[in-house]
Amino acid sequence: MTRKDIWDAKTYLQFEDERLRPALDLIARIPHAAPKLVVDLGCGAGNALPVLAARFLGARVMGVDGSAAMLAKAAAAGFETAQADISTWKPEAPVDVIFSNAALQWLDGHEALFPRLLDCLAPGGVLAVQMPSMHAAPLRAEQDRIARAGPWAEVLRRVKSAPAILAPEVYYALLSPRVSALEMWVTEYIHVLRGEDPVLRWAMGTSLRPFLDALGAEGSKGFLAAYAAAMRAAYPPEADGAVLLPFRRLFLLARKLS
C-alpha cells in the first residue's frame, strides 16, 4: 500500500482468503531456485509473508509498506518489516525476488517504475507482480461516477482511486528488452461473497478508501448509500443469496538478465 496510514487492516482482512488466492497463484510460479533476499513490496498486513517464507526456505523475507497500521499486523507475526513509500523505495542491496501483490496499481508512472524495480534486482532476480485490472468494471467505475455526481462532488473533485493499469502489450514492450524471460497472464476470479452489501464491504477495504478518507465518517454516509445501491444493481444476489464478484487480475513474472 502507498497511502500512509489510511488503511483499515480489519476491514481489508474481512476477505483475507479471497485476497490471498492470487498471491498463492503467483508465488507458486516464481522461477527462482534459491533466493537469499525476498521483498514483498506493498505487503499490507503481511498475509503473503508466511507463504513466501515457506516457498523459499532459508531466504530472508521482508515486508515493505507505507502503512504503519498494516505493518503492525505483519510485525506481530514475527516478520521483518520496513515502512517506506513504495513509489520511491530502493533496497540497500540488490534483491533476488521482488514480489508485489495488488499494490503497484496504486502508483502512476509504470513506464518508469517497472524498469526501476528491475534495477533493484540482483542478476537473474525475479520481479513477480499481480495487479487488479478492474478499472472499467462497475466495482471501480461507479466510484468515480458517484464521486462526481453527488453533493460531495466538490470535496472529491481531486480525489481518485487507483489509476488504470497499462495494457499487457505495453508491459511486454516495456519489459521484454530488459529481461531474459517474461511471462504474463490474466485470471478472472469469481469471488462468492455473502452477507449484507458484500461488494460494498469488499471495496471499503481497498479502492473506496481515498473517497472515504476525504469525506470523513459523517460525510461518507450518503456516498456509501449511493455506492451500495449501485453495487446491488450491478452485482445482484443469486438464488441462494450469494453475490458473485468477477475480479480480473494481471500477472507478470520477469527475470532480470544475468
Side-chain angles (χ1 to χ4, degrees), residues 211-230:
F211 302 104
L212 302 185
D213 289 306
L215 290 169
E218 192 63 30
S220 296
K221 291 180 180 179
F223 179 86
L224 285 174
Y227 183 73

Side-chain angles (χ1 to χ4, degrees), residues 132-143:
S133 181
M134 291 289 288
H135 197 72
L139 176 78
R140 286 290 316 283
E142 286 296 298
Q143 295 173 9

Side-chain angles (χ1 to χ4, degrees), residues 27 48-58 61 79:
I27 290 169
L49 293 173
V51 186
L52 289 165
R55 170 74 168 80
F56 300 113
L57 295 174
V61 176
F79 286 96

Side-chain angles (χ1 to χ4, degrees), residues 8-87:
D8 181 339
K10 183 178 179 181
T11 301
Y12 180 83
L13 292 174
Q14 284 182 357
F15 300 99
E16 182 176 6
D17 290 344
E18 290 86 354
R19 298 191 197 281
L20 185 59
R21 194 177 309 157
L24 298 176
D25 292 345
L26 181 58
I27 290 169
R29 294 176 66 167
I30 295 175
H32 203 302
K36 295 178 181 178
L37 176 57
V38 177
V39 171
D40 184 347
L41 188 60
C43 68
N47 47 346
L49 293 173
V51 186
L52 289 165
R55 170 74 168 80
F56 300 113
L57 295 174
R60 176 188 171 198
V61 176
M62 177 181 181
V64 176
D65 201 275
S67 168
M70 287 291 199
L71 287 176
K73 293 279 186 181
F79 286 96
E80 179 183 356
T81 64
Q83 186 173 359
D85 184 340
I86 65 172
S87 66

Side-chain angles (χ1 to χ4, degrees), residues 13 16 24 87 135 166 176-177 182 184 193 234 243 251-252 256:
L13 292 174
E16 182 176 6
L24 298 176
S87 66
H135 197 72
L166 304 177
S176 59
L182 176 61
M184 300 189 298
L193 308 181
V243 174
F251 294 78
L252 301 166
K256 186 176 180 177

Side-chain angles (χ1 to χ4, degrees), residues 3 18 26 35 49-50 66 95 97-98 176 200 243 250 252 257:
R3 313 178 77 88
E18 290 86 354
L26 181 58
L49 293 173
V95 179
V97 173
I98 296 176
S176 59
L200 167 67
V243 174
L250 174 66
L252 301 166
L257 294 166

